[in-house]
Amino acid sequence: MTVAEPRFGSLLPDILASPPGGVSRSLAKRLKAVESRNITYVDSGWPIFWQEARGSNVRDVDGNVYIDLSGAFGVALIGHAHAGVVRALRVQGENLLHGMGDIHPPVGKVELIERLCGIAPWVGAQAVLTTSGSEAVEVALKTAQIATGKPGIVAFKGAYHGLTMGALAVTDRAHFRSYFEAQLYKGVAFVPFPGCNGISGVTADEALELLRTALRHGAPNGDPIGAVIIEPVQGRAGVRVPPDGFMAVLSDVAMEEGAIIIADEIFTGLGRCGSLLASEPLGLRPDIVCLGKVLGGGMPLSACLARQSIMCAWPQNDGEAIHTNTFLGHPLACATALAVLDIVEQHSIPECAEVVGSELLTELRGSLRDSDTVSEVRGCGLMIGIELVTAEGLPWKDGAVRVAEAALGHGLILLPAGEHGHVVELTPPVFLTGEQAAHSVAVLSSIIQKLH
Ligand SMILES: Cc1ncc(COP(=O)(O)O)c(C=O)c1O
């Protein structure tokens, strides 16, 4: 009997040339000469240039094989280059590469929107397809304004909703905002996101009281507030999981005060957090839902879904849409998204994410329990954060950046999160093998124990 060799996708790391290898370094040099210096971070240990990716593996241009614990910004929940997605892309590419989204739409747009409305948390949903997560948020904010007539918004401290101007106005990180502050809408009241480990948290009750006050008194610029935008689990803020019951009471408060709720499920949605939408088990009852990342299976695609009664506030198209874009309903992205939705359903991806995620969480908690630098390992499905602190118990500034750099040298791709770069964020593919998971936990724990 022969034992099958593990295939690219389920391999352990194999580092042939200390990353970044020579080919990556020379590409970085070329890129640095021609790309805006703000875009790709380049230093002696960063970045590697990707050549190919499948399942949980990435191979770089120097032949190094990595385990992708980032899922490439959380996109690759069903793994890189899933065969079903690649097949859909190939078939679609041979027929129609580009359509005229809001004028003469490609057929896939109809099928995809029907499917998305089928998974929305309301009967009678309607949707707008968009291209990036930020654009889905723009459409959600525009929809809320049209539906409520109240421009003010409540967002949460630490929130990340994207970097286009409307989305940036509800994103709470000085790093992203400071140069553009003067151009950002001033009608946003930021309320604390509760309960994160005592470091920067307030209790759920305190947060809800502040929410109620903001909804009653209006935004800092005096505008009445029509909408609350929230991530069910804050991702980029450092995997901040809300306390039990918080989202349900938040929904009651918003309803009582006449505000609609936008759930930004761009990171959490489509199975990442162990359910199709993270809002549902958390008790959040949104009126608008934004999806992105996983949706396109690697193609740039996002969507804004809303209750029909809310979406109907948009005026009838009289010949020219007032929100659209050149690539709206792109046929390739619609085709891959339909394949993604099939895979998510047929392989019970949310349930798998719950099982794989809770095993990973338990393993990490066990192996890091004696580490003085780790204040908490937390998560929801396959979104896991390891929070690092100093000896004084303060967020360890750039601690997770150092972990990410060291991990790369050992063949693990991961990203830092949190305002202080102090949370190691893990959002791997659901098909991470047991062997890959065990190896990742061992390597990560050893890196974290040795740092300081
Ligand atoms: C919760 C959330 N909203 C919005 C966005 C913005 O998405 P994009 O980068 O596709 O514009 C992100 C991206 O990470 C996100 O995590």
Side-chain angles (χ1 to χ4, degrees):
M1 196 178 91
T2 54
V3 179
E5 287 283 311
R7 283 188 310 189
F8 182 58
S10 346
L11 299 177
L12 293 181
D14 186 15
I15 298 300
L16 310 172
S18 184
V23 186
S24 275
R25 283 204 309 274
S26 93
L27 284 167
K29 201 168 159 200
R30 280 168 56 194
L31 190 63
K32 217 174 159 180
V34 291
E35 188 182 37
S36 161
R37 64 183 188 167
N38 184 250
I39 303 299
T40 307
Y41 176 63
V42 178
D43 83 350
S44 57
W46 205 267
I48 52 159
F49 285 76
W50 291 20
Q51 184 80 60
E52 59 173 333
R54 200 157 314 129
S56 307
N57 286 142
V58 170
R59 198 187 313 269
D60 75 8
V61 285
D62 290 282
N64 294 319
V65 174
Y66 303 83
I67 298 175
D68 180 12
L69 296 176
S70 77
F73 306 124
V75 167
L77 178 63
I78 59 168
H80 289 281
H82 190 288
V85 174
V86 174
R87 202 176 310 117
L89 191 61
R90 196 174 298 129
V91 171
Q92 183 61 47
E94 282 169 6
N95 290 314
L96 180 70
L97 263 183
H98 174 60
M100 294 180 74
D102 61 312
I103 304 286
H104 302 303
V107 58
K109 187 173 97 159
V110 185
E111 292 172 38
L112 179 59
I113 295 183
E114 282 172 354
R115 287 286 293 277
L116 288 174
C117 289
I119 63 170
W122 332 274
V123 180
Q126 289 193 333
V128 177
L129 294 182
T130 42
T131 307
S132 66
S134 306
E135 197 203 352
V137 169
E138 299 287 335
V139 172
L141 296 174
K142 285 180 171 181
T143 304
Q145 155 66 23
I146 292 183
T148 67
K150 295 187 275 185
I153 305 154
V154 165
F156 283 79
K157 298 238 167 97
Y160 186 83
H161 297 293
L163 301 181
T164 52
M165 286 298 184
L168 185 57
V170 289
T171 287
D172 177 44
R173 180 100 66 97
H175 175 75
F176 299 121
R177 295 174 59 105
S178 58
Y179 287 94
F180 314 106
E181 204 63 66
Q183 289 182 308
L184 298 176
Y185 173 53
K186 300 290 181 292
V188 183
F190 285 99
V191 167
F193 195 90
C196 255
N197 193 29
I199 284 184
S200 54
V202 296
T203 66
D205 286 345
E206 286 161 346
L208 289 163
E209 207 37 54
L210 291 164
L211 169 67
R212 199 184 284 281
T213 307
L215 290 173
R216 287 196 180 155
H217 294 157
N221 68 348
D223 281 350
I225 291 175
V228 177
I229 182 164
I230 189 161
E231 297 156 86
V233 176
Q234 283 193 331
R236 204 152 173 180
V239 188
R240 303 172 83 189
V241 184
D244 286 349
F246 172 71
M247 292 288 177
V249 184
L250 176 147
S251 305
D252 295 339
V253 171
M255 200 168 76
E256 284 156 25
E257 302 299 332
I260 63 173
I261 296 177
I262 302 167
D264 179 349
E265 293 249 17
I266 286 161
F267 208 166
T268 54
L270 297 177
R272 167 66 62 199
C273 287
S275 50
L276 198 55
L277 296 179
S279 309
E280 212 253 313
L282 289 172
L284 181 67
R285 302 189 304 277
D287 303 283
I288 299 179
V289 173
C290 297
L291 295 173
K293 294 198 185 275
V294 174
L295 179 61
M299 294 295 288
L301 183 72
S302 56
C304 172
L305 321 183
R307 289 181 195 279
Q308 191 168 17
S309 54
I310 288 179
M311 203 58 106
C312 278
W314 284 84
Q316 183 66 46
N317 182 333
D318 62 359
E320 209 158 18
I322 56 177
H323 183 99
T324 183
N325 74 54
T326 306
F327 295 108
L328 183 144
H330 194 275
L332 289 181
C334 288
T336 55
L338 283 164
V340 167
L341 294 177
D342 285 343
I343 293 158
V344 166
E345 200 179 296
Q346 284 158 16
H347 293 270
S348 306
I349 295 296
E351 292 78 2
C352 293
E354 179 56 39
V355 172
V356 178
S358 63
E359 282 169 10
L360 194 55
L361 191 67
T362 307
E363 292 297 314
L364 284 165
R365 280 182 175 156
S367 71
L368 290 167
R369 76 180 166 266
D370 296 327
S371 170
D372 297 339
T373 39
V374 175
S375 62
E376 190 177 39
V377 185
R378 54 181 176 250
C380 189
L382 265 177
M383 187 187 266
I384 293 174
I386 306 168
E387 183 163 282
L388 306 175
V389 286
T390 62
E392 295 74 40
L394 296 169
W396 180 13
K397 186 155 174 32
D398 292 336
V401 178
R402 287 179 57 192
V403 172
E405 282 171 358
L408 195 67
H410 289 86
L412 301 182
I413 296 173
L414 53 88
L415 289 173
E419 189 188 349
H420 307 288
H422 66 296
V423 179
V424 178
E425 180 189 273
L426 306 176
T427 52
V430 76
F431 298 119
L432 190 75
T433 67
E435 201 187 7
Q436 287 176 322
H439 179 84
S440 303
V441 170
V443 171
L444 257 182
S445 306
S446 133
I447 289 172
I448 290 173
Q449 316 275 15
K450 282 187 198 138
L451 279 179
H452 232 332

